[in-house]
Amino acid sequence: MKKLFCLFALFQLLSCLVFAQQKAIPYGNNPAAGKYYDVRGIKMYVEVYGQGKPLLLTHGNGGSISAFSKTIPYFAKKYKVIAVDSRAHGKTIDTKDSLSFEMMADDFSALLDKMHIDSAYVIGWSDGGINALVMAMRHPKQVIKLASTGANLTPDSTALQPAVWKDFVKQYNEDKDKPRNTAKQKNDWKIFTLDYFQPNIPFSALKAIKCPSLIICGDHDLIPIEHTTKIYQAIDRAYLWVVPNSGHGTLIEHSNDFNKLVDEFFQKPYHKF
């Protein structure tokens, strides 16, 4: 797949940069912390770090657990961090043709059940941010609080920067009729088209989210501030944080501020202004 400035490609680049910066612990490839769980017809790869209240981490399109190498060390000091390779990503293989955010949110719900965890805090980035929102909509009792950064609700130029969406459309049209013979080619196309056709969530549907929510974007994010603001406004108990001088990778580019502020949000009672 050609390299272009679209959501899919940029997220892969950011994930690779994070992986390259890893030193001591190989997050996403750590046998000491990793385990497979049988979840809804797939073997889901999970790494667990630390002890305390459960915290689920959900990565973005084309990413893996390694995307959270600047997040895990901070939160593992006081939480039981559950870092997951989502369906069709990383070490979690899925050979089925279909893929949706609803499927992935249900996977995470089933994983918590499998781990005998009633509820968890959730941090989601990009597609993982969408997953966090969908999980809170579909399985509200399992989400204590959520922090969602770089999420969008529709696949179009209102929810992605117009230039990014234009490149996305160009990429789709160039590649849609190409033959895909290998498992990797088929999987890459499946996760690319996930973001081309999905999500399709009305803002009004976010009323189903009852937990306190921290909605985040960068001031130069792939997701327009206006779209992120509408997400924030549609959730009854939400805060909005637009990270200054940041692109899509808020939790990487500003990891210290991100970790501290999200932790404070989790620890303090929600206050409605």
Side-chain angles (χ1 to χ4, degrees):
M1 195 170 289
K2 294 179 180 179
K3 195 172 182 180
L4 59 126
F5 291 107
C6 69
L7 182 63
F8 176 78
L10 183 56
F11 190 91
Q12 286 190 315
L13 176 60
L14 288 168
S15 297
C16 289
L17 288 173
V18 172
F19 186 81
Q21 293 171 356
Q22 292 174 201
K23 295 180 180 179
I25 300 176
Y27 296 111
N29 191 28
N30 183 8
K35 181 179 177 180
Y36 286 91
Y37 289 85
D38 291 323
V39 174
R40 289 169 29 85
I42 58 174
K43 291 188 178 296
M44 177 168 280
Y45 181 69
V46 180
E47 291 183 0
V48 177
Y49 298 90
Q51 296 180 344
K53 294 181 179 179
L55 169 59
L56 178 68
L57 304 181
T58 57
H59 63 76
N61 192 293
S64 68
I65 291 169
S66 64
F68 290 106
S69 66
K70 289 190 174 184
T71 313
I72 295 171
Y74 179 94
F75 286 95
K77 295 174 184 177
K78 63 174 74 174
Y79 297 85
K80 179 178 182 178
V81 177
I82 304 163
V84 182
D85 278 351
S86 61
R87 180 182 288 261
H89 290 72
K91 297 179 183 294
T92 301
I93 306 300
D94 174 34
T95 58
K96 299 180 181 66
D97 293 332
S98 60
L99 184 63
S100 72
F101 291 102
E102 290 76 16
M103 289 171 64
M104 289 189 281
D106 290 351
D107 289 342
F108 300 137
S109 170
L111 173 66
L112 293 184
D113 287 341
K114 200 83 172 181
M115 297 178 73
H116 306 291
I117 294 172
D118 293 332
S119 58
Y121 296 93
V122 181
I123 297 176
W125 176 22
S126 198
D127 275 18
I130 301 169
N131 286 329
L133 297 173
V134 176
M135 185 177 177
M137 293 165 61
R138 293 172 70 86
H139 307 281
K141 293 182 179 180
Q142 290 183 298
V143 183
I144 303 169
K145 291 184 178 182
L146 71 86
S148 171
T149 184
N152 61 294
L153 299 190
T154 53
D156 55 36
S157 60
T158 68
L160 298 172
Q161 295 292 351
V164 172
W165 179 246
K166 182 179 178 180
D167 283 341
F168 225 165
V169 173
K170 179 182 178 182
Q171 188 70 57
Y172 175 79
N173 289 329
E174 289 177 354
D175 292 348
K176 63 181 179 179
D177 295 323
K178 290 182 178 179
R180 294 172 184 87
N181 302 314
T182 69
K184 184 179 186 306
Q185 288 173 339
K186 293 176 181 178
N187 196 76
D188 285 351
W189 184 244
K190 180 169 66 175
I191 61 177
F192 176 84
T193 54
L194 171 69
D195 279 2
Y196 187 78
F197 292 109
Q198 300 179 51
N200 295 283
I201 303 170
F203 287 106
S204 60
L206 298 182
K207 292 295 182 183
I209 297 177
K210 303 304 181 185
C211 67
S213 304
L214 178 58
I215 306 303
I216 308 166
C217 70
D219 61 354
H220 292 85
D221 209 308
L222 297 177
I223 313 300
I225 294 175
E226 294 81 3
H227 187 80
T228 302
T229 301
K230 289 180 180 179
I231 294 174
Y232 150 72
Q233 291 172 333
I235 299 173
D236 288 336
R237 304 170 68 198
Y239 297 141
L240 174 66
W241 181 27
V242 178
V243 184
N245 191 32
S246 182
H248 194 55
T250 54
L251 74 175
I252 295 174
E253 298 170 31
H254 301 274
S255 57
N256 291 338
D257 290 339
F258 183 94
N259 294 337
K260 182 179 178 181
L261 195 148
V262 171
D263 185 26
E264 288 179 354
F265 165 69
F266 286 159
Q267 296 295 321
K268 295 180 179 180
Y270 172 78
H271 173 70
K272 190 172 183 65
F273 294 93

